[in-house]
Amino acid sequence: MFSGNNCGQMKMSSKFVIRLGVWSVLMLYLFCDLILFEGPLKQQVYRLQGSPAKKLGNDIERGIVARVFTKPILLSQVDYAVDEQLWRSGRTREEISNSQRTALRRIALAELCDHALLREKVALNDKEFPVSEEEINAAMQRFASRFSTPEELQKAMLQFGFEGEKELRFRIAARLQQQKYLNHHIARGIAVTDEEAKAWYKDHQEQLQTPQLYQLRHIFLSKLQHNEDEAVQALREAQEFLQSGTNDFNSLSLKLSEDPRSKDHGGSLGWMSLQRLPADFAQAVEKLKVNQTSLIETTIGWHLVELTDTQASTLRSFDESKAEIVAALETSRRKAAVKEYRKNLRLQHPEKIVIHEALLSADWTE
């Protein structure tokens, strides 16, 4: 016969098996409904939150090209960043092809996504990286100075999706916090020691050489005003006059030269390195001796040039160059460290970045 304890254990065991079975059936149903077949429960979720296709359609309709941690990035923000890059390189929208536009948008969008990821990281540590009102005011002033009128500033804010100055201040404060956050995390990797600076100085002395300088003056006749025979004859006569022993370059320059910047100053071009001169001009100057003249033809005209003095190339000392070397090395290391840190952030949170590729090839936003 079974004891009372055995009966109780069997009942408990039966209840456990029943519960486990019910739980398994429920989990299977939820898996099928939500994952495999998009059943009634999944449809209810869609009704409450919107289906992925509907969400995508809504984003594209609103000009949202990406979401980072569900936060939207507008195509107009991307195009504003592209316009800035074009402006810096001296180009306009009309000068680039559709494929170039898409490529530039990808670069700008990657930058904006990185900043959005950083914002999320900084938000978790905002107390550690405070930003003062003075810092925000200074950054606001720098931002506003890029626009010639308040209306242009307002237009730019609308393109970025900012509702007013308050939101702009918030965004600028967030960007300053990001910079502080990044500097904190990469500081160790960018510091430059004296030994490293000295080693760089030793290995790059050619770059620290001041070039040889030439002090020049000239008499210029333009190709727009003279034919070759006329110009060459006039300058040959002036050269012969100077070679006869009459050192009256100032008077000849004032009388003959068609260079308005130098003719009233004795034809002086000042101190120049060969790197600052047009190639055809530099080749002739390099062959001159001090107080020697030469007739040089360039693409714009003819020059009677005299070399009046030279300064030899010199090597700057380490002490003179140290600050520049340290700054250059730190800048290079900072760029590499920031790039690596951002790369790691993207690798950590790939599922938090959603990009709507279709918008990257769309027409320009206004």
Side-chain angles (χ1 to χ4, degrees):
M1 294 180 66
F2 294 106
S3 66
N5 286 339
N6 287 338
C7 290
Q9 289 176 356
M10 290 180 64
K11 288 181 180 180
M12 290 178 63
S13 177
S14 298
K15 289 180 180 179
F16 175 77
V17 170
I18 293 171
R19 288 174 182 173
L20 181 61
V22 172
W23 179 257
S24 299
V25 171
L26 178 60
M27 289 298 99
L28 180 61
Y29 173 79
L30 290 174
F31 176 78
C32 293
D33 188 293
L34 297 175
I35 306 300
L36 294 182
F37 304 117
E38 297 189 356
L41 287 176
K42 189 62 173 282
Q43 296 305 319
Q44 181 65 21
V45 171
Y46 285 167
R47 280 193 290 272
L48 294 174
Q49 297 183 349
S51 69
K54 186 175 181 181
K55 282 184 176 180
L56 175 61
N58 288 340
D59 276 359
I60 291 176
E61 187 177 336
R62 294 166 59 192
I64 296 174
V65 70
R67 287 185 179 272
V68 179
F69 281 94
T70 74
K71 304 293 193 312
I73 296 176
L74 299 174
L75 182 61
S76 58
Q77 291 175 261
V78 175
D79 282 346
Y80 185 86
V82 171
D83 284 338
E84 268 201 313
Q85 183 60 37
L86 291 173
W87 177 78
R88 288 174 185 166
S89 61
R91 295 182 293 169
T92 64
R93 290 183 175 188
E94 291 72 23
E95 295 172 350
I96 64 172
S97 65
N98 291 341
S99 61
Q100 288 174 318
R101 176 187 63 197
T102 302
L104 288 172
R105 277 175 167 172
R106 290 187 190 281
I107 295 170
L109 179 58
E111 183 81 6
L112 290 170
C113 287
D114 284 349
H115 284 303
L117 283 172
L118 277 173
R119 278 198 299 272
E120 294 298 322
K121 287 290 185 181
V122 174
L124 298 174
N125 304 275
D126 61 334
K127 302 299 182 185
E128 298 179 36
F129 306 98
V131 177
S132 69
E133 288 296 315
E134 290 76 13
E135 290 175 303
I136 298 174
N137 290 338
M140 284 279 291
Q141 187 172 2
R142 288 193 298 271
F143 182 80
S145 66
R146 294 153 56 185
F147 306 95
S148 56
T149 65
E151 289 73 24
E152 288 186 9
L153 173 59
Q154 290 296 323
K155 182 180 178 181
M157 289 169 58
L158 289 174
Q159 287 177 321
F160 269 96
F162 301 160
E163 295 181 358
E165 184 177 325
K166 184 177 180 180
E167 185 174 358
L168 177 60
R169 288 182 66 86
F170 174 80
R171 298 283 184 154
I172 285 178
R175 185 63 63 90
L176 292 173
Q177 276 194 319
Q178 290 171 31
Q179 292 172 356
K180 291 187 176 185
Y181 176 89
L182 275 174
N183 289 338
H184 173 77
H185 283 82
I186 67 175
R188 290 184 180 179
I190 65 175
V192 178
T193 65
D194 280 354
E195 290 71 21
E196 289 171 328
K198 288 176 181 177
W200 194 95
Y201 175 82
K202 181 179 179 181
D203 295 339
H204 298 82
Q205 292 191 356
E206 287 186 8
Q207 295 174 233
L208 298 168
Q209 290 275 147
T210 60
Q212 181 169 349
L213 298 177
Y214 299 80
Q215 191 177 52
L216 303 168
R217 56 184 180 180
H218 78 155
I219 298 170
F220 171 70
L221 295 179
S222 169
K223 285 185 176 181
L224 293 175
Q225 303 295 329
H226 305 275
N227 61 48
E228 183 174 4
D229 292 340
E230 176 188 350
V232 169
Q233 181 179 351
L235 293 180
R236 289 289 184 205
E237 290 176 357
Q239 185 179 32
E240 291 172 3
F241 180 73
L242 292 171
Q243 290 173 344
S244 69
T246 305
N247 189 9
D248 199 10
F249 202 101
N250 290 357
S251 297
L252 287 173
S253 173
L254 191 62
K255 178 181 178 182
L256 299 175
S257 184
E258 294 171 352
D259 178 4
R261 292 174 297 179
S262 68
K263 66 177 298 179
D264 294 333
H265 305 284
S268 176
L269 296 173
W271 289 97
M272 308 184 80
S273 65
L274 295 179
Q275 290 77 12
R276 289 183 55 196
L277 296 171
D280 48 4
F281 200 94
Q283 290 172 3
V285 167
E286 193 173 16
K287 298 174 183 178
L288 289 176
K289 297 179 181 179
V290 175
N291 298 324
Q292 184 181 5
T293 60
S294 178
L295 184 60
I296 302 172
E297 180 182 0
T298 63
T299 56
I300 60 173
W302 295 269
H303 313 252
L304 177 59
V305 179
E306 182 180 27
L307 176 63
T308 58
D309 201 359
T310 62
Q311 288 182 4
S313 172
T314 59
L315 174 63
R316 296 163 57 193
S317 70
F318 173 72
D319 288 339
E320 291 174 319
S321 310
K322 180 180 176 181
E324 182 181 328
I325 292 170
V326 169
L329 289 176
E330 285 182 345
T331 298
S332 176
R333 292 181 181 183
R334 179 177 286 105
K335 287 181 179 178
V338 168
K339 184 178 180 180
E340 184 66 19
Y341 190 84
R342 289 179 172 179
K343 176 184 174 182
N344 290 334
L345 273 184
R346 288 193 295 271
L347 291 174
Q348 290 172 20
H349 305 287
E351 75 287 355
K352 300 300 183 182
I353 303 174
V354 178
I355 296 175
H356 304 320
E357 293 283 343
L359 277 179
L360 291 174
S361 57
D363 290 338
W364 289 109
T365 60
E366 293 301 326

